[in-house]
Amino acid sequence: MRSQEDRGLAFRALHEGEPFVIPNPWDAGSARALEALGFEALATTSSGFAFTLGRLDGQATLDEVVTHVEELTRATDLPVSVDLENGYTADPRGVARAIERIAEAGAVGGSIEDWDPAGRLYESEEAVERLAAAVEVARGLDFPFLMTGRAENHIRGNPDLDDTIARLRAFETAGADVLYAPGLRTVEEIRQVCNSVTRPVNVLALGDLTFAEIAGAGAQRISVGGGLTWVAVGAFAEAARAIREQGDFSSLAIRVPLRDWFA
């Protein structure tokens, strides 16, 4: 297995090279499959992981996420970045501790968002304070760890691009290594964000745009969130429904090369 320092160095190098896709596994098996398929880094998905627990997005605990990260980093040699949602607390000290814990679990990156699960966007000053606490911990680690500052406007009913850009700029000033505003849907929105900051930008692929279009607009990193989880769950549900309603077992003929993937 690669050391955490080697994983951190590899992750940093990806952000300094050509644009790349960082897919989001939901368990150790999907992580190993994505590694075998040639991807170079992984990011957790809060919604996909919550599904494995039989819960909705936002209902996993920090302890459970830490265990999940340990499982992923044992299963694969790839750098792993962690969707930490809001850090599982409003307290900046608690956010800092969340970074410490996922770093101890093997992660070399993490994101902190500006959405309070109580149902509000944190005020900009408050959001910056929380991210700055995370950055301080990340800078004190003895291996490279990339902090992502995440502005939630566009998926929380407030598609105000000017405010999103202002927040991302504030996160950049606070020390974020990567900037992320999930919910951008057009090439022009992505281009405006990328042209407004100097740090690498992560864009969430929503199925509307191709890799070439997103990268051409300036994005360095493209993630898929829970998308791959729902592709898998959708196929499972469709097959199960055909079995129950029609007695059709034809979907069970599919085979996947597990011996090759898990060699």
Side-chain angles (χ1 to χ4, degrees), residues 154-155 180-186 189-190 203-210 214 222-227:
H154 282 70
I155 61 172
Y180 181 21
L184 302 179
R185 286 194 170 272
T186 69
E189 285 179 336
I190 296 168
V203 169
L204 175 65
L206 298 171
D208 305 299
L209 301 173
T210 66
I214 296 171
I222 303 169
S223 57
V224 300

Side-chain angles (χ1 to χ4, degrees), residues 102-126:
I102 63 163
E104 291 165 359
V108 294
S111 65
I112 294 294
E113 62 190 44
D114 59 358
W115 172 253
D116 181 346
R120 69 181 182 101
L121 288 162
Y122 290 112
E123 296 297 330
S124 183
E125 183 176 341
E126 186 179 9

Side-chain angles (χ1 to χ4, degrees), residues 22-251:
I22 183 168
N24 304 76
W26 57 94
D27 60 12
S30 57
R32 291 192 68 182
L34 290 167
E35 181 177 28
L37 290 169
F39 291 97
E40 297 182 82
L42 304 172
T44 68
T45 159
S46 63
S47 62
F49 174 57
F51 171 79
T52 70
L53 302 174
R55 302 178 202 157
L56 297 175
D57 193 13
Q59 295 181 353
T61 67
L62 177 57
D63 286 344
E64 290 167 332
V65 170
V66 168
T67 298
H68 178 51
V69 173
E70 290 171 343
E71 292 170 350
L72 295 185
T73 55
R74 281 197 303 265
T76 173
D77 263 343
L78 298 183
V80 174
S81 185
V82 181
D83 177 354
L84 274 173
E85 302 180 64
N86 77 322
Y88 306 97
T89 177
D91 178 14
R93 291 171 297 181
V95 172
R97 180 57 183 151
I99 298 299
E100 291 173 350
R101 293 194 62 192
I102 63 163
E104 291 165 359
V108 294
S111 65
I112 294 294
E113 62 190 44
D114 59 358
W115 172 253
D116 181 346
R120 69 181 182 101
L121 288 162
Y122 290 112
E123 296 297 330
S124 183
E125 183 176 341
E126 186 179 9
V128 167
E129 181 183 9
R130 298 171 72 260
L131 179 66
V135 168
E136 183 177 1
V137 171
R139 295 291 180 269
L141 297 171
D142 59 3
F143 57 88
F145 186 102
L146 296 190
M147 274 305 312
T148 298
R150 178 168 160 160
E152 295 285 284
N153 270 339
H154 282 70
I155 61 172
R156 303 296 180 181
N158 184 41
D160 183 337
L161 191 61
D162 289 339
D163 185 58
T164 294
I165 289 171
R167 286 171 178 265
L168 293 178
R169 283 175 169 165
F171 297 161
E172 180 176 7
T173 300
D177 301 293
V178 182
L179 302 169
Y180 181 21
L184 302 179
R185 286 194 170 272
T186 69
V187 167
E188 183 53 35
E189 285 179 336
I190 296 168
R191 183 174 289 114
Q192 281 187 250
V193 168
C194 293
N195 288 344
S196 298
V197 297
T198 63
R199 299 294 187 187
V201 172
N202 183 98
V203 169
L204 175 65
L206 298 171
D208 305 299
L209 301 173
T210 66
F211 174 87
E213 289 172 320
I214 296 171
Q220 176 64 24
R221 192 173 86 187
I222 303 169
S223 57
V224 300
L228 286 175
T229 311
W230 312 133
V231 169
V233 172
F236 152 79
E238 183 177 355
R241 188 175 295 112
I243 290 169
R244 181 180 181 279
E245 297 177 358
Q246 304 163 28
D248 178 2
F249 298 98
S250 61
S251 60

